[in-house]
């Protein structure tokens, strides 16, 4: 009974508390690569605190959709945090088919963000929403196939069972390596990172995610930005604890959780460093070239499934 109470609180605290630090680490690392001092590692926390203290300015043409979107986006990510193995292979909401629910919860938050971008009647918001749906229509199939590759190998669509099954793999098979590469590309697209999108841009012709949230301010913008940070961390968590679950605790003992947290921080930090390297090495691609990148991810995911059946 105590475990059922501790585990959800622990996962929420880790995802909610650590996600802004991951963003700060990426920004700081990119600044160092560019020979700049850069912002503090804790700058995302300062930004969120500042926004939470401010009132939200709402357009006169906005409906309840605009006001509800920040809460829906934030709560949907919190629910996903209860479905993903973070420090333990056991998850609070444990049931068959949770992989499918996770994908739909991601889509739910995106759907309301796009609706809110259209709700205010902003031309830039509509443009950003249109681009976001175009990219998601190509990214979601690749994400589903890459995760389903691991589900087929483990024989379950439950992330807890998948993580426990993957603990027995000391070396990744060719199909898992292909699925890992496909999911890595999808994470770049889903989180709006370079080369798909530039999270720092405010140029109207290049904005995608930023275009959708131009009308948000104050606590509404804080919830959306915080949800975006958590989404990045959750996707990286799915990547490391599904394909590389080494160090994940099988129970809820205190020493096991401490060791698991150490492994978790190292793995998340490694992939955050890779994101910083990619963003520092490549420029944002043109919009009409994004389908080529996501098409590559989809092909890799398909090849992963084919390779699994051929090799096995």
């Amino acid at each position: 009974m105590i475990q059922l109470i501790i585990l959800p609180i622990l996962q929420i605290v880790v995802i909610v508390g650590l996600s802004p630090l991951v963003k700060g680490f990426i920004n700081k690392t990119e600044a160092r690569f560019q020979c700049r001092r850069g912002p503090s590692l804790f700058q995302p926390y300062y930004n969120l605190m500042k926004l939470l203290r401010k009132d939200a300015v709402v357009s006169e043409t906005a409906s309840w959709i605009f006001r509800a979107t920040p809460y829906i986006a934030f709560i949907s990510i919190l629910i996903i945090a209860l479905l993903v193995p973070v420090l333990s292979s056991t998850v609070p909401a444990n049931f068959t088919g949770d992989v499918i629910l996770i994908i739909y919860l991601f889509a739910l938050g995106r759907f309301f963000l796009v609706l809110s971008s259209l709700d205010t009647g902003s031309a830039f918001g509509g443009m950003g929403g249109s681009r976001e749906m175009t990219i998601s229509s190509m990214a979601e199939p690749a994400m589903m196939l890459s995760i389903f590759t691991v589900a087929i190998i483990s024989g379950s669509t439950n992330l807890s069972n998948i993580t426990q099954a993957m603990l027995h793999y000391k070396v990744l098979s060719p199909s898992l390596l292909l699925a890992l590469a496909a999911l890595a590309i999808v994470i770049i697209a889903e989180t709006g990172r370079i080369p798909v999108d530039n999270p720092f841009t405010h140029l109207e012709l290049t904005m995608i995610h930023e275009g959708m949230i131009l009308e948000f301010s104050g606590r509404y913008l804080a919830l959306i930005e915080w949800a975006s940070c958590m989404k990045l961390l959750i996707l990286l968590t799915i990547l490391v604890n599904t394909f590389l679950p080494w160090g994940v605790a099988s129970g809820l003992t205190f020493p096991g959780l401490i060791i698991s947290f150490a492994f978790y921080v190292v793995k998340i930090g490694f992939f955050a460093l890779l994101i910083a390297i990619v963003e520092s090495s490549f420029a944002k691609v043109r919009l009409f070239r994004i389908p080529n990148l996501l098409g590559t991810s989809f092909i890799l995911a398909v090849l992963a499934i084919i390779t699994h059946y051929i090799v096995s």
Side-chain angles (χ1 to χ4, degrees):
M1 183 64 182
I2 297 178
Q3 293 181 351
L4 295 177
I5 299 175
I6 293 177
L7 188 57
I9 297 175
L10 184 62
Q11 295 207 170
I12 292 294
V13 169
V14 170
I15 295 297
V16 173
L18 200 62
S19 55
L21 184 62
V22 174
K23 182 179 179 180
F25 175 76
I26 294 174
N27 295 342
K28 186 71 171 182
T29 306
E30 289 181 11
R32 291 299 186 182
F33 285 151
Q34 298 167 8
C35 299
R36 296 185 292 109
R37 182 177 179 180
S40 167
L41 282 173
F42 304 102
Q43 188 61 46
Y45 294 101
Y46 303 148
N47 294 340
L48 291 174
M49 291 172 60
K50 179 180 67 176
L51 289 173
L52 287 172
R53 289 195 299 264
K54 293 185 175 182
D55 292 331
V57 179
V58 180
S59 171
E60 295 179 353
T61 61
S63 66
W64 65 270
I65 294 177
F66 184 86
R67 295 175 176 85
T69 292
Y71 300 101
I72 293 175
F74 191 82
I75 292 174
S76 63
I77 296 297
L78 287 182
I79 295 174
I80 295 175
L82 298 176
L83 298 169
V84 176
V86 179
L87 302 180
S88 172
S89 58
T90 304
V91 296
N94 191 10
F95 62 93
T96 301
D98 56 0
V99 170
I100 301 173
L101 178 60
I102 288 172
I103 294 173
Y104 275 102
L105 285 173
F106 278 133
L108 176 66
R110 180 187 300 109
F111 174 72
F112 272 90
L113 271 178
V114 173
L115 280 184
S116 65
S117 69
L118 300 172
D119 195 37
T120 57
S122 170
F124 296 136
M127 180 180 64
S130 174
R131 291 175 176 180
E132 178 72 14
M133 294 306 293
T134 301
I135 292 174
S136 66
S137 66
M138 295 177 286
E140 285 181 1
M143 177 191 290
M144 293 178 67
L145 288 179
S146 60
I147 298 178
F148 282 168
T149 301
V150 193
I152 292 172
I153 293 175
S154 60
S156 174
T157 55
N158 177 270
L159 278 180
S160 178
N161 296 337
I162 291 174
T163 300
Q164 292 175 1
M166 292 299 295
L167 283 171
H168 301 290
Y169 285 81
K170 302 301 180 182
V171 180
L172 294 181
S173 63
S175 60
L176 289 175
L177 288 174
L178 290 172
L180 175 65
L183 185 58
I185 296 175
V186 169
I187 291 176
I188 296 294
E190 283 284 322
T191 55
R193 313 297 305 191
I194 294 174
V196 176
D197 190 16
N198 187 351
F200 303 106
T201 186
H202 290 285
L203 298 175
E204 292 84 356
L205 296 179
T206 60
M207 288 188 297
I208 299 178
H209 177 74
E210 291 296 320
M212 293 191 299
I213 63 175
L214 274 179
E215 298 295 327
F216 288 99
S217 60
R219 62 182 181 276
Y220 290 163
L221 182 59
L223 289 175
I224 291 177
E225 292 289 355
W226 209 338
S228 177
C229 294
M230 290 192 296
K231 182 178 181 180
L232 172 61
L233 181 56
I234 286 176
L235 286 172
L236 290 177
T237 301
I238 293 174
L239 181 72
V240 300
N241 284 349
T242 299
F243 294 90
L244 309 169
W246 310 308
V248 176
S250 56
L252 288 178
T253 61
F254 184 74
L257 291 177
I258 293 297
I259 296 174
S260 177
F261 181 74
F263 273 94
Y264 178 74
V265 170
V266 170
K267 291 186 290 185
I268 293 295
F270 173 74
F271 280 97
L273 177 63
L274 288 183
I275 291 177
I277 293 174
V278 169
E279 292 195 328
S280 301
S281 304
F282 296 92
K284 182 184 179 300
V285 300
R286 295 182 178 181
L287 187 65
F288 65 85
R289 293 190 180 276
I290 294 178
N292 297 338
L293 180 64
L294 295 177
T296 302
S297 175
F298 180 78
I299 292 173
L300 288 174
V302 173
L303 288 176
I305 296 177
I306 296 174
T307 303
H308 167 68
Y309 284 110
I310 292 177
V311 173
S312 60

